[in-house]
Amino acid sequence: MKYGYLLIFLFLFFACGGEQNSDRQLTNPLETDVLVYGAGAAGTAAAIQAARLGAKVILVEPTVWVGGMLTSAGVSAIDGNHQLPSGLWGEFRQKLYEHYGGPEKVATGWVSNTLFEPKVGQQILLDMIKAEPNITLFTDYKVNEVMTTGNKVIGAGFVSDAKDNLTVKAKISIDGSELGDLLSLSGANYFVGKDPKSRTGEELAPEKAVDHIQDLTYVAILKDYGEGADKTIAKPENYDPSKFPCPCEQLCADTTVYVRAVHDCDMMLTYTKLPNDKYMINWPISGNDYYVNAIEMSYAERQEAYKAAKNETLSFVYYIQTEGGYKHLGLAEDEFPTEDNLALIPYHRESRRLDGVQVVTIDHLLDPYAISEPMYQFGIAVGDYPLDHHRDKGPIPEEIQFPPVPSFSIPYGALVPKNIDGLLVSEKSISTSSLANGSTRLQPCVITIGQATGAAAALSIQAGIQPRALDVRKLQSTLLEANCWLLPYLDVTPDDAYFTALQKVGAAGLLKSTGVPYKWANQTYIYPDTAVTAEEFASIGAYLFDGTPKVAKPTKKDLEDLLMKNNLEPSEVVPEGWQGNEESLLRKDLAWVIVQIKDPFGKPLYLTKSM
């Protein structure tokens, strides 16, 4: 009888109080294969890729939009990877082309080759999500609990201001949030701020850790309302025009005192001009960057802190309209679903950063072959943006003199926590140094990281293993099938018959590439049509067989002779239509033959730390 009274008491308790939702969370959690928190650039890509590999996915987003920095933060001018349209990044860009009418229709601003209205990008991403029946999307939910058993994440709990609480149990969880909020609750180790030199070994790192991050920006979208229109906003609180001493030439009293180039005011505005006569206000030179370190704040504290960043942007808009004379440019009222017409969220350039199995540093970006650990062999995503930090508005304003870097790859171990299972980390919270984050944080790079994260989660579930035990070659092969670059070779694309072979031999270190730092779109070349050297031919012969005769200038016939000497019929392993002759043996032909005879991805590759 006492159990009956207890049940009645519990029923009345939960029926009458604020614990009703918590009880429902405990007794009726949703279950899925993959849980992704954050439907931003990376999280959306992760969810789509996992779903396409057959995993059931629950995608939870804290705002009412999907797309993160691409859309909700309003940063709809793509930085980087124009010549590396890897996987879902290329797919998203193609849909932008189709919407606007071709590549030239989105090349509207001089900072980027691809610019679009945030609302258009959000709709495209939402349609891509809806096209995957394996994805269930929940918006307006914030994570407030991560469930674990031992050192393994098994799901998370979420709260909403307008909806019932939500609990999701998952085999693998992915943090795709803007600030690593699920990561912080998981028990995994992470870092915030500038790393000390003792942790990363980077020459530019400080001797001691510094709890400072990059500036954020609250983006506004202005719209041209036509000649004669006056769309001047109300004067913002504590407006001070001296905060913007030199944003453009006509509004700069002394252009010689500023370290950066000073542009004409019209050119400043067309920096991120969007289609349909709109202008993104995300100006780094004496503009609307703002310092707020909101990473460890509560959700409520963040919203309060962001008010000052919003006011900074509104002040800059008012400055442009009044001091600059651009009264006809007003806040676009048809862009964001917000009362103030500003972006839904700020553009965060820096987040919590995972303490991962592998860590991306400046040294890794500078020369992947020079570091002791060959992390390029674990490549799963690519980027080509230079090292770029925004630190003008921070507690200690500084302009870091970064070295130029070539394009680069992201290793799989940067997604995997050292000490926690059941979790993968994406977006800007991957395992990277705070300095290297200046290159890895950009939208297309983050999309490719997200796609790899989703693939890793799905493959781990299929194999019944934890992500740290996944065969990286299996993951890389899956990404190649999805038209993804593992290594950032500009001179061979997925529509080339030799693409997969060259990516594989490159990832195995059998043929090495050459990186070229180049302005704002860095480069790497594998040189597929270059003749194989004597050293390369000998090295490959040793890999394929017991060795090979020394040949000063390897020819196609030399390769045929080598194959026949080892009892192989050349016609069965050389490219179609290829005939051995005295022509130079090309790298692409050698790569093709290597893969046919002894595919380097036929041997598993595993992360060696914390297995």
Side-chain angles (χ1 to χ4, degrees):
M1 188 65 181
K2 62 182 179 181
Y3 295 108
Y5 287 125
L6 178 59
L7 291 173
I8 293 171
F9 170 79
L10 290 173
F11 172 81
L12 292 173
F13 176 79
F14 288 122
C16 298
E19 297 296 319
Q20 184 175 5
N21 286 335
S22 294
D23 180 54
R24 181 157 54 250
Q25 284 181 260
L26 291 172
T27 57
N28 295 304
L30 299 177
E31 296 191 10
T32 190
D33 294 325
V34 179
L35 165 64
V36 181
Y37 179 59
T44 296
I48 292 171
Q49 183 60 51
R52 289 181 179 178
L53 291 175
K56 296 294 183 182
V57 181
I58 289 181
L59 176 60
V60 182
E61 163 59 32
T63 74
V64 296
W65 265 22
V66 301
M69 59 177 165
L70 282 167
T71 61
S72 301
V75 191
S76 55
I78 297 298
D79 287 312
N81 285 40
H82 180 61
Q83 297 184 75
L84 294 170
S86 182
L88 285 168
W89 150 231
E91 189 174 327
F92 171 68
R93 187 178 70 174
Q94 181 59 38
K95 291 181 182 296
L96 287 172
Y97 290 168
E98 292 168 2
H99 176 87
Y100 285 107
E104 69 283 355
K105 297 296 184 180
V106 296
T108 48
W110 55 269
V111 74
S112 173
N113 298 101
T114 307
L115 302 97
F116 56 94
E117 296 159 284
K119 64 179 181 181
V120 171
Q122 118 84 20
Q123 189 59 55
I124 288 173
L125 292 172
L126 186 60
D127 290 343
M128 291 174 70
I129 291 169
K130 290 181 177 179
E132 302 299 331
N134 280 345
I135 300 177
T136 302
L137 172 65
F138 291 90
T139 59
D140 195 23
Y141 277 97
K142 299 174 178 63
V143 67
N144 72 329
E145 176 191 13
V146 170
M147 299 178 292
T148 61
T149 176
N151 70 333
K152 179 182 176 183
V153 173
I154 59 172
F158 306 88
V159 295
S160 171
D161 293 334
K163 306 173 184 178
D164 287 343
N165 290 359
L166 174 69
T167 300
V168 181
K169 293 182 68 176
K171 297 173 183 176
I172 302 289
S173 295
I174 295 173
D175 189 332
S177 66
E178 295 298 312
L179 293 177
D181 289 332
L182 190 146
L183 160 64
S184 71
L185 296 170
S186 71
N189 296 328
Y190 62 87
F191 305 106
V192 176
K194 293 177 70 173
D195 306 283
K197 189 173 297 185
S198 60
R199 180 183 300 151
T200 67
E202 296 165 311
E203 185 177 343
L204 288 176
E207 293 299 326
K208 295 182 179 180
V210 180
D211 187 23
H212 297 163
I213 63 172
Q214 292 191 61
D215 304 335
L216 58 74
T217 304
Y218 232 108
V219 167
I221 304 293
L222 300 186
K223 182 177 181 179
D224 190 342
Y225 286 90
E227 186 177 352
D230 186 351
K231 302 298 289 186
T232 306
I233 63 174
K235 187 176 182 179
E237 183 179 357
N238 299 320
Y239 171 71
D240 180 3
S242 68
K243 289 184 176 181
F244 316 109
C246 191
C248 55
E249 187 175 351
Q250 294 88 328
L251 298 175
C252 187
D254 184 2
T255 60
T256 64
V257 301
Y258 204 71
V259 296
R260 298 182 185 176
V262 180
H263 300 282
D264 174 85
C265 289
D266 284 345
M267 190 173 183
M268 175 192 74
L269 288 169
T270 57
Y271 170 74
T272 49
K273 185 179 181 181
L274 309 180
N276 294 321
D277 294 319
K278 293 179 180 177
Y279 301 83
M280 179 175 63
I281 304 303
N282 174 27
W283 185 243
I285 305 173
S286 190
N288 61 320
D289 283 1
Y290 193 81
Y291 186 80
V292 177
N293 189 344
I295 290 177
E296 300 291 11
M297 293 181 182
S298 68
Y299 293 118
E301 289 170 338
R302 287 176 186 171
Q303 296 311 309
E304 191 63 29
Y306 294 154
K307 289 180 180 179
K310 287 185 176 185
N311 191 70
E312 189 83 351
T313 289
L314 291 172
S315 293
F316 189 52
V317 169
Y318 184 78
Y319 178 84
I320 292 171
Q321 292 173 323
T322 56
E323 302 293 330
Y326 294 95
K327 295 181 179 181
H328 60 294
L329 300 183
L331 291 171
E333 299 173 359
D334 61 343
E335 197 61 54
F336 300 113
T338 55
E339 292 184 5
D340 57 13
N341 294 316
L342 296 181
L344 284 78
I345 60 173
Y347 172 35
H348 293 285
R349 295 181 175 86
E350 195 165 336
S351 173
R352 298 177 174 95
R353 290 170 292 102
L354 174 70
D355 184 13
V357 175
Q358 294 170 314
V359 57
V360 179
T361 67
I362 289 180
D363 293 334
H364 167 244
L365 303 183
L366 281 171
D367 186 350
Y369 301 114
I371 60 176
S372 58
E373 184 180 9
M375 289 197 295
Y376 68 89
Q377 295 194 12
F378 296 81
I380 46 80
V382 294
D384 66 5
Y385 205 71
L387 288 158
D388 177 40
H389 280 217
H390 289 228
R391 295 183 179 272
D392 289 347
K393 303 291 182 70
I396 304 177
E398 60 180 326
E399 185 81 20
I400 304 174
Q401 297 302 311
F402 285 112
V405 297
S407 50
F408 55 87
S409 66
I410 303 294
Y412 175 55
L415 319 181
V416 183
K418 279 183 180 178
N419 60 327
I420 295 292
D421 286 329
L423 176 68
L424 287 164
V425 177
S426 199
E427 190 64 34
K428 294 178 285 287
S429 294
I430 63 168
S431 179
T432 174
S433 72
S434 61
L435 295 177
N437 166 73
S439 288
T440 63
R441 64 180 172 83
L442 285 309
Q443 310 102 312
C445 182
V446 165
I447 292 173
T448 67
I449 291 169
Q451 185 167 5
T453 312
L459 293 172
S460 297
I461 291 168
Q462 289 173 11
I465 57 176
Q466 287 300 314
R468 71 181 65 254
L470 180 64
D471 176 7
V472 180
R473 297 306 191 206
K474 174 65 175 176
L475 171 59
Q476 291 173 320
S477 296
T478 300
L479 292 171
L480 287 173
E481 291 170 3
N483 292 327
C484 295
W485 272 260
L486 308 177
L487 299 171
Y489 305 151
L490 282 188
D491 44 2
V492 58
T493 59
D495 57 357
D496 190 306
Y498 294 91
F499 175 77
T500 296
L502 285 162
Q503 288 282 320
K504 285 184 173 183
V505 298
L510 298 174
L511 289 178
K512 293 186 177 181
S513 59
T514 301
V516 181
Y518 184 76
K519 298 181 180 180
W520 291 87
N522 298 300
Q523 304 165 355
T524 299
Y525 297 94
I526 191 67
Y527 297 118
D529 295 308
T530 297
V532 173
T533 66
E535 292 77 12
E536 288 171 336
F537 190 61
S539 175
I540 298 304
Y543 169 75
L544 292 176
F545 312 112
D546 293 332
T548 181
K550 291 184 179 181
V551 179
K553 293 183 178 180
T555 65
K556 291 182 177 181
K557 187 176 185 305
D558 289 325
L559 179 59
E560 274 200 347
D561 291 344
L562 179 63
L563 296 174
M564 294 176 69
K565 179 181 178 181
N566 287 276
N567 301 316
L568 286 171
E569 174 58 45
S571 62
E572 295 179 358
V573 294
V574 299
E576 186 177 352
W578 188 86
Q579 293 182 346
N581 52 43
E582 297 301 328
E583 294 178 359
S584 294
L585 177 63
L586 302 183
R587 300 182 106 213
K588 65 182 181 183
D589 293 326
L590 184 57
W592 180 280
V593 170
I594 292 168
V595 170
Q596 304 307 309
I597 298 175
K598 189 177 179 181
D599 188 344
F601 280 22
K603 181 180 179 181
L605 176 69
Y606 298 105
L607 298 173
T608 56
K609 297 179 182 178
S610 302
M611 286 289 289

